[in-house]
Every structure is written in structure tokens, then in C-alpha cells.
Amino acid sequence: MVEASIKFNFGELKGLYEDFQIPEEYKSDFELKRKLSIYEQSIEFTKDSEEGISEELKVVGHHYASKDGFRSLVVTDHHLTYSFLKSYTNFDNLTEEALLMLKSAVKGRNLEYLEGIGVAFSNEFYLPLPLEVADYFKLGVKVPEEWNYERYAVEFFVMLLHDKSTGLRGRIRRELTGVLTGEVMVKFDIFVYEQEDVSLKYDDALMTCLQEIRKFKNRIFFGAFTNKTLNQFK
């Protein structure tokens, strides 16, 4: 596992990133790494219809990082994203810390709903050559029979999913590099998200949503690979 993150969407809470305070129990662990900025362009017209274009560098958020380099936090007026970088152990640890950051962000604000939650997992691992795709992946792309070709490998693969029972949506991205040159590195990303509003009035509503996302993610991950591949993660 390379990275795991949880993203809470707010819509817009003006001044959120400026007012945000790292929770007391983590203040000694985190430091402000950089300010997130964008160029904002405006066009003005004079009385003589002359056009003037101006650009301004505008700060839109803050990026915090843990001193050990294993955790990351991004806060803007629109979202909060908390990540474990190469230190992911289990979903409960990630959730616990992310919820503490969320609680600090919305403290003192009359926010009743989140405008969606997203959870992302990025994986990297190696497979030996020659690569027999069916030995490692259950996901793949069929070659049309009329081509009369043998499929060697699918280097780039994206699939969108919808769980009708929960309303959750998912995105799978798989990339293979080194297929023609040597040992194959696999990048496998899963992004699961809830687009509907999630209530903050009751803790169980938020936790229920996160647990449903976790179940959906696990079904995707364990359903995408054969046992031969899964054994490499043990």
C-alpha cells in the first residue's frame, strides 16, 4: 500500500483553512508544509472599452505534513483530505485520525451535512515476466474474436462502478509499466465515494457511511485479483 486517504467535502466554508487548528494531541506531530495557491485572472473594461487583464496569486488552502513524513493533511474552504503515506495499517486507524481532523475543522461552525465523502487507496507491487494476465488479474479486457490476436497485457485499464444497494460509486485504475522491458510494476488505485449528503448530527450516520465505503472497497480489491496475486500481500 502506497497511500490511503479520506476526503470530506464541505461545499464551501469561507475561512475554514485559515481558522483551522491541528487537534491538540497532534500539534507536536504536524507542521505547515506549504500554502496552496492558484492564479486568479480578471478582465476589466475601461470607459473607452479598452480591455485590461490582471492576474493575482490567491491562497486557497494549507498543506500540513507529519514530521515523520508518513501522514498528510490538506485543508481548503471546500474540503479536508487526510492521508497515510506508506504507513497505512488498517482502515480504523486512518478513520480515527481523519475524524479528529474533521471535528477540529467544523468546530464552532453550524455545519449539519457533508456534501460527500471519498476514500482512495493506491497500491504498487511487482510481478515477474513472462506475465500471464489471467494468473494474476480477474479484471481484464476481452479481445474481439475477429481480431484473431492473443492478448499479451492490458497496460492501462479504468473501470467505473455503481453499487445500487448503497448508492456508492467506485473507480478502479490499473496501470502496468515495464511489460516489454523487465519486471512489471503494477499500480492499482481504488476510489470509492458517496455523492449524497452525509449528516453530521449523528456520529453513527458518518460511521455507517465510512463502513459501507470500506466494504465496497474490500469487495473491489479482493475481487480484482486471483489468489496468486493476493498471496503476495501476506
Side-chain angles (χ1 to χ4, degrees):
M1 180 72 68
V2 176
E3 180 177 346
S5 63
I6 298 180
K7 181 177 181 180
F8 302 107
N9 293 319
F10 305 121
E12 182 177 12
L13 293 176
K14 290 186 177 180
L16 178 68
Y17 77 88
E18 295 173 311
D19 298 337
F20 177 77
Q21 297 290 323
I22 297 289
E24 194 64 35
E25 53 267 60
Y26 289 106
K27 275 190 175 180
S28 61
D29 295 336
F30 281 82
E31 57 188 1
L32 180 62
K33 198 71 174 177
R34 63 191 177 97
K35 295 181 178 180
L36 306 177
S37 305
I38 60 172
Y39 276 103
E40 196 172 70
Q41 190 177 78
S42 61
I43 301 176
E44 297 179 356
F45 294 92
T46 66
K47 292 181 179 180
D48 299 325
S49 296
E50 292 183 359
E51 181 180 307
I53 300 176
S54 61
E55 284 189 341
E56 178 184 2
L57 188 62
K58 181 181 179 182
V59 177
V60 295
H62 288 158
H63 174 209
Y64 301 87
S66 62
K67 293 177 182 178
D68 61 13
F70 290 147
R71 288 168 292 170
S72 171
L73 172 67
V74 172
V75 184
T76 75
D77 287 353
H78 300 277
H79 68 85
L80 181 151
T81 303
Y82 190 69
S83 306
F84 278 9
L85 311 174
K86 296 186 179 180
S87 62
Y88 178 80
T89 53
N90 62 64
F91 190 75
D92 291 334
N93 291 345
L94 173 64
T95 301
E96 180 182 357
E97 294 188 22
L99 289 176
L100 283 174
M101 298 298 177
L102 173 64
K103 185 177 180 180
S104 179
V106 301
K107 184 178 180 180
R109 293 177 178 268
N110 188 26
L111 184 66
E112 296 183 351
Y113 297 92
L114 291 173
E115 294 190 8
I117 301 175
V119 176
F121 295 85
S122 297
N123 304 267
E124 288 184 2
F125 56 94
Y126 290 89
L127 294 175
L129 284 175
L131 180 66
E132 293 292 339
V133 176
D135 289 345
Y136 296 97
F137 304 106
K138 293 181 182 178
L139 285 172
V141 179
K142 290 185 177 181
V143 176
E145 292 181 3
E146 58 268 27
W147 285 4
N148 196 29
Y149 299 144
E150 179 183 355
R151 185 186 65 186
Y152 178 59
V154 180
E155 290 191 324
F156 190 79
F157 179 86
V158 176
M159 178 181 288
L160 303 179
L161 301 170
H162 179 214
D163 184 348
K164 292 183 179 180
S165 64
T166 61
L168 296 175
R169 297 181 184 273
R171 181 178 184 271
I172 304 169
R173 179 182 181 274
R174 187 189 74 199
E175 182 179 356
L176 307 180
T177 57
V179 172
L180 300 178
T181 59
E183 191 176 39
V184 177
M185 185 176 78
V186 181
K187 295 181 179 180
F188 189 80
D189 302 328
I190 302 173
F191 181 55
V192 178
Y193 53 99
E194 170 60 83
Q195 291 181 310
E196 301 298 323
D197 292 346
V198 181
S199 175
L200 290 176
K201 291 182 179 179
Y202 311 102
D203 290 340
D204 59 345
L206 183 54
M207 288 305 301
T208 297
C209 180
L210 287 169
Q211 289 305 321
E212 288 296 335
I213 287 176
R214 180 187 195 177
K215 292 177 185 177
F216 190 18
K217 182 272 297 184
N218 285 342
R219 288 199 301 271
I220 292 173
F221 183 84
F222 290 105
F225 302 108
T226 64
N227 288 334
K228 186 174 182 177
T229 308
L230 294 175
N231 287 335
Q232 296 194 47
F233 298 110
K234 294 181 179 179

